[in-house]
Amino acid sequence: MMNITKQDENFMKLAIDQAKIAEENGDVPIGAVIVHKNQIIAKAYNQREQLQDPTAHAEIIALTQAAAALGNWHLNGCTIYVTLEPCPMCAGALVLSRMEKLVYGCDDPKTGAVKSLYNIVTDGRLNHRLEVVSGVLADECAKQLQDFFQHRRGKNKEH
């Protein structure tokens, strides 16, 4: 694992802010930020509930924004910051986009495809691999998710 920098933490805080927007909209609080040459070129949050789209994960929306910002679907030289370890769909999309680096907050033992269940982004059988930094503000990212699901379970008990 690579060292966590102050810059990683600062960009992760912005991803956490995006996750808060998802939560305010009734979606699982996951946020993503994509940076190119130290400039933010995309900010997104989960919008599955809002759009009724199973692919509307924060990472997928951010990838679309970043490609539009650069005018190129090859996202060489870009880093994505995401609050939760990407799922198989998102990890695959990161590989296909040629993203240079992935920085994420907490692990996802149920659907994580970077470390927990699979290791898609560094799989040597694929045509591209990403640098990975994990555990950036992991406790804060995990707490945000835990609080969301605890609140959701509490609401379900009331009905």
Side-chain angles (χ1 to χ4, degrees):
M1 189 173 80
M2 300 176 69
N3 289 335
I4 296 170
T5 67
K6 192 70 181 154
Q7 183 176 357
D8 289 339
E9 290 182 352
N10 290 337
F11 285 125
M12 187 60 72
K13 286 177 184 170
L14 296 174
I16 290 168
D17 289 343
Q18 289 296 301
K20 288 175 187 164
I21 299 169
E23 184 170 13
E24 289 164 6
N25 289 319
D27 217 318
V28 178
I30 299 169
V33 172
I34 297 178
V35 175
H36 182 257
K37 296 181 180 176
N38 288 322
Q39 298 294 313
I40 295 169
I41 60 169
K43 292 190 293 190
Y45 51 89
N46 266 16
Q47 295 184 46
R48 293 180 308 169
E49 297 298 333
Q50 201 173 347
L51 300 176
Q52 288 301 300
D53 178 353
T55 68
H57 289 204
E59 299 96 319
I60 301 299
I61 295 167
L63 285 171
T64 300
Q65 290 175 3
L70 295 179
N72 194 336
W73 65 269
H74 286 103
L75 300 180
N76 305 74
C78 292
T79 299
I80 187 167
Y81 295 85
V82 62
T83 55
L84 181 68
E85 177 184 4
C87 71
M89 174 183 70
C90 293
L94 293 175
V95 170
L96 295 174
S97 74
R98 313 296 195 271
M99 182 73 56
E100 183 174 320
K101 184 176 173 183
L102 162 66
V103 180
Y104 72 88
C106 57
D107 293 337
D108 184 352
K110 292 186 177 178
T111 64
V114 175
K115 176 177 136 186
S116 297
L117 298 179
Y118 306 102
N119 199 340
I120 292 171
V121 301
T122 59
D123 190 321
R125 296 170 295 178
L126 299 173
N127 66 336
H128 179 76
R129 284 161 291 292
L130 285 74
E131 290 176 43
V132 177
V133 177
S134 61
V136 177
L137 302 179
D139 292 344
E140 194 173 337
C141 293
K143 184 172 179 0
Q144 190 176 36
L145 287 159
Q146 288 162 351
D147 290 351
F148 173 81
F149 286 112
Q150 229 168 16
H151 179 71
R152 183 178 264 185
R153 282 190 295 274
K155 268 188 171 177
N156 289 341
K157 285 179 185 172
E158 294 168 12
H159 294 100

